[in-house]
């Protein structure tokens, strides 16, 4: 398989710098030569010197991978819909098993890459914010949650980096589980399941069925399914190229079912995110065909116009869909819009007063600070906008670092798609990037991004992109 010719090699050279790949060797050496790195190596050498422990270490690392699988099974179960501590415990146990296995001389190792730098810096920004917060105890609780998520990133990259088949396995499992969750949601729509809370504005909308499946909240269900839909499409494309037609068909059916379920959640932020990740998938597919098959460029342009029109026409026949979409542009006439606008305005006032270091980490610190700025009757657990939430909690510096992390990951995804010889890494990176785009699009209007059912998937997709793009000079280390 030859490497795809990139649209512009000069641009790819700049993108490589954006992905921080020229700094990979320096960062790896710096990490290994640091005090922590030397201490870690010395500790590992001590344990490895003991006879017979290496096989046990490998077993522990394999158990860690099984715990990662268990984590993504558990996040879809109704028992864990509100059990954040249980999910966090599974993730921490997975990391502990892998790390202990590493110290005992297990066969798996994790190579430090420069893309880890913005991850560490983001953690540092949150540490500084928590240390300087007027609400230290609630902020430390929020910091503990973030630490679990970032720890999961290092766990995911450790178990996926040198095992391409694991990337396919874990993402396929994610799609299969999401397909089952979606089917249960479709069943709820068929029987007209009653809402668990008031999710519509009865003054401007006709009451309709909003599915929530096993996650007990339609917005959370949409946030869970959004990143998985493009992953299912990428798996379908991968299986098709591998001549696994039945698996490819199954993946595309799962993607369609998941997309329909997202529509039936009635989540308006979910609609916007679905359009965003759908557009990302279309751009990736069109770009590949455009470069590889110049004769197909005219049909591509026609499809770029016709397909969205057909999809829009089909969605027109979904009951209450038009009302939900039009309510996005209703301004303050819709109670949900009015609520968000008031929260955004209050949050911007918070940011204006705390733009340098933020107010502290987590929703508990936010609620305490928000009470000083909120309009009466508009209490909130968060800003309902992820970039604004990050800026309020960690200051402008934290927001810039988070943006740098996303830019680096997308740059790695671009290079993985255009330059990798391995078609598996190419398509998985594409699907993961499209999923992250969908999550960020929903995050502009909602904050289910911080729920573990969504946040663990975010760090998994980051890890998939990173593991799909190893640096050549580090592969043999």
């Amino acid at each position: 398989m030859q490497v795809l010719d990139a649209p512009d090699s000069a641009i790819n050279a700049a993108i490589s710098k954006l992905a921080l790949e020229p700094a990979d060797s320096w960062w790896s050496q710096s990490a290994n030569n640091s005090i922590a790195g030397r201490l870690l190596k010395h500790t590992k050498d001590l344990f490895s010197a003991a006879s017979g422990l290496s096989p046990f270490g490998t077993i522990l690392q394999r158990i860690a991978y099984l715990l990662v699988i268990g984590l993504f099974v558990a996040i879809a179960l109704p028992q864990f819909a509100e059990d954040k501590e249980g999910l966090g415990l599974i993730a921490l146990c997975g990391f502990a098993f892998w790390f202990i296995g590493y110290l005992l001389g297990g066969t798996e190792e994790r190579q430090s890459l420069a893309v880890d730098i913005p991850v560490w810096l983001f953690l540092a920004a949150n540490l500084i914010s928590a240390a300087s917060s007027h609400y230290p105890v609630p902020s430390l609780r929020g910091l503990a949650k973030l630490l679990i998520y970032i720890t999961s990133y290092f766990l995911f990259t450790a178990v996926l980096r040198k095992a391409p088949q694991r990337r396919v396995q874990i993402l396929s499992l994610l799609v299969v589980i999401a397909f089952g969750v979606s089917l249960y949601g479709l069943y709820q729509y068929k029987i007209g399941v009653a809402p668990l809370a008031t999710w519509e504005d009865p003054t401007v909308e006709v009451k309709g069925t909003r599915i929530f499946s096993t996650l007990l909240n339609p917005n959370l269900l949409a946030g869970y399914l959004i990143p998985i839909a493009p992953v299912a499409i990428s798996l379908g494309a991968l299986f098709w190229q591998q001549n696994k037609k039945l698996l490819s068909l199954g993946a595309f059916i799962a993607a369609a079912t998941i997309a329909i379920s997202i529509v039936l959640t009635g989540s308006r932020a979910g609609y916007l995110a679905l359009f965003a990740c759908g557009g990302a998938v279309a751009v990736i597919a069109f770009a590949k065909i455009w470069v590889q098959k110049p004769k197909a460029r005219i049909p591509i342009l026609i499809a770029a116009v016709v397909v969205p029109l057909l999809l829009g026409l089909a969605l027109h026949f979904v009951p209450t869909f038009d009302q939900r979409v039009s309510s996005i542009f209703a301004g303050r006439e819709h109670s949900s819009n009015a609520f968000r606008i008031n929260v955004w305005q209050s949050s911007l006032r918070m940011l204006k007063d705390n733009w340098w270091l933020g107010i502290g980490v987590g929703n508990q610190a936010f609620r305490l600070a928000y009470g000083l700025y909120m309009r009466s009757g508009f209490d909130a657990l968060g800003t309902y906008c992820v970039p604004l939430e990050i800026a309020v909690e960690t200051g402008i510096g934290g927001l810039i670092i988070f943006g740098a992390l996303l830019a680096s990951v997308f740059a790695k995804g671009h290079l993985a798609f255009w330059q990798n010889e391995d078609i598996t890494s190419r398509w998985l990176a594409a699907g993961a990037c499209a999923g992250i785009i969908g999550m960020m699009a929903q995050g502009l209007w909602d904050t289910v991004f911080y729920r573990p059912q969504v946040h663990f998937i975010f760090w998994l997709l980051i890890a998939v992109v990173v593991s799909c793009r190893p640096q050549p000079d580090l592969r043999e280390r």
Side-chain angles (χ1 to χ4, degrees), residues 142-446:
L143 181 65
K145 296 176 185 178
L146 177 74
L147 189 59
I148 291 174
Y149 292 131
I150 290 182
T151 298
S152 72
Y153 159 77
F154 290 106
L155 170 63
F156 299 154
T157 50
V159 300
L160 297 179
R161 179 161 179 74
K162 293 187 177 180
Q165 73 280 5
R166 285 185 175 180
R167 301 170 209 157
V168 177
Q169 290 169 0
I170 196 73
L171 292 181
S172 297
L173 175 69
L174 205 61
V175 170
V176 170
I177 294 173
F179 179 61
V181 170
S182 298
L183 288 178
Y184 182 55
L186 294 179
Y187 169 75
Q188 289 181 332
Y189 185 78
K190 181 179 182 297
I191 64 174
V193 65
L196 300 180
T198 303
W199 291 323
E200 299 94 3
D201 185 343
T203 63
V204 296
E205 291 182 87
V206 176
K207 184 177 179 181
T209 300
R210 297 183 62 185
I211 64 172
F212 48 84
S213 192
T214 60
L215 300 185
L216 310 182
N217 182 292
N219 290 339
L220 178 58
L221 176 61
Y224 167 73
L225 294 177
I226 282 162
I228 303 178
V231 168
I233 294 174
S234 69
L235 286 172
L238 170 63
F239 293 147
W240 185 269
Q241 285 200 312
Q242 293 176 335
N243 291 317
K244 301 175 181 178
K245 307 301 183 184
L246 287 179
L247 287 177
S248 177
L249 178 62
F252 287 132
I253 291 175
T257 305
I258 292 169
I260 292 171
S261 295
I262 294 172
V263 172
L264 296 180
T265 63
S267 169
R268 299 175 302 162
Y271 294 163
L272 297 174
L274 186 61
F275 295 147
C277 61
V281 169
V283 168
I284 292 169
F286 287 169
K288 180 177 183 294
I289 298 171
W290 188 278
V291 171
Q292 284 193 320
K293 300 180 179 181
K295 294 182 179 180
R297 290 178 178 178
I298 297 300
I300 286 176
L301 294 175
I302 295 174
V305 176
V306 173
V307 171
L309 290 176
L310 292 177
L311 288 175
L313 182 63
L315 290 173
H316 175 72
F317 294 99
V318 177
T320 73
F321 176 80
D322 285 350
Q323 285 187 342
R324 294 294 291 171
V325 171
S326 62
S327 70
I328 296 174
F329 309 99
R332 289 184 178 273
E333 294 180 7
H334 192 283
S335 61
S336 181
N337 294 353
F339 178 82
R340 280 170 167 77
I341 291 171
N342 283 305
V343 172
W344 291 339
Q345 290 174 340
S346 300
S347 298
L348 286 171
R349 290 196 295 272
M350 292 171 62
L351 178 59
K352 182 179 178 181
D353 291 343
N354 303 274
W355 67 273
W356 183 235
L357 297 176
I359 53 96
V361 185
N363 64 300
Q364 293 183 9
F366 174 87
R367 290 202 69 181
L368 291 172
Y370 180 74
L372 304 175
Y373 297 87
M374 64 175 282
R375 290 186 58 183
S376 179
F378 293 94
D379 193 11
L381 296 175
T383 66
Y384 287 90
C385 177
V386 170
L388 183 57
E389 184 82 30
I390 294 172
V392 166
E393 290 189 6
T394 63
I396 295 299
L399 178 61
I400 293 173
I401 293 169
F402 186 77
L405 170 62
L406 291 180
S408 179
V409 169
F410 288 139
K412 276 190 174 292
H414 173 91
L415 296 172
F417 183 74
W418 288 107
Q419 295 184 353
N420 273 18
E421 296 182 6
D422 177 25
I423 62 171
T424 299
S425 296
R426 182 184 302 164
W427 282 111
L428 295 188
C433 284
I436 295 169
I437 289 172
M439 298 176 89
M440 293 301 98
Q442 187 188 29
L444 292 174
W445 319 100
D446 211 336

Side-chain angles (χ1 to χ4, degrees), residues 56-73:
F56 181 62
T58 300
I59 291 174
L60 290 180
Q61 290 181 324
R62 290 176 179 172
I63 293 175
Y65 175 61
L66 294 178
L67 285 171
V68 171
I69 291 176
L71 172 65
F72 288 103
V73 171

Side-chain angles (χ1 to χ4, degrees), residues 9-198:
S9 58
I11 292 178
N12 278 344
I15 291 176
S16 179
K17 295 179 181 179
L18 183 61
L20 305 178
E21 292 189 349
D24 279 338
S25 181
W26 165 79
W27 176 253
S28 179
Q29 293 176 8
S30 298
N32 292 335
N33 294 330
S34 66
I35 295 176
R38 291 198 301 268
L39 179 61
L40 184 62
K41 184 178 184 303
H42 180 66
T43 305
K44 181 184 178 184
D45 291 342
L46 285 177
F47 282 108
S48 298
S51 59
L53 290 180
S54 181
F56 181 62
T58 300
I59 291 174
L60 290 180
Q61 290 181 324
R62 290 176 179 172
I63 293 175
Y65 175 61
L66 294 178
L67 285 171
V68 171
I69 291 176
L71 172 65
F72 288 103
V73 171
I75 61 176
L77 297 177
Q79 295 89 336
F80 289 91
E82 299 295 338
D83 187 1
K84 301 176 184 179
E85 291 78 10
L87 296 174
L89 182 60
I90 294 173
L92 285 177
C93 286
F95 179 80
F97 272 83
W98 189 93
F99 186 69
I100 294 171
Y102 168 78
L103 293 178
L104 295 180
T107 56
E108 297 178 16
E109 294 188 2
R110 185 189 184 277
Q111 180 66 55
S112 296
L113 295 174
V115 72
D116 296 340
I117 296 174
V119 177
W120 285 112
L121 289 176
F122 186 64
L123 176 59
N126 281 271
L127 280 168
I128 294 171
S129 176
S132 61
S133 176
H134 292 292
Y135 315 100
V137 174
S139 195
L140 287 174
R141 290 175 184 154
L143 181 65
K145 296 176 185 178
L146 177 74
L147 189 59
I148 291 174
Y149 292 131
I150 290 182
T151 298
S152 72
Y153 159 77
F154 290 106
L155 170 63
F156 299 154
T157 50
V159 300
L160 297 179
R161 179 161 179 74
K162 293 187 177 180
Q165 73 280 5
R166 285 185 175 180
R167 301 170 209 157
V168 177
Q169 290 169 0
I170 196 73
L171 292 181
S172 297
L173 175 69
L174 205 61
V175 170
V176 170
I177 294 173
F179 179 61
V181 170
S182 298
L183 288 178
Y184 182 55
L186 294 179
Y187 169 75
Q188 289 181 332
Y189 185 78
K190 181 179 182 297
I191 64 174
V193 65
L196 300 180
T198 303

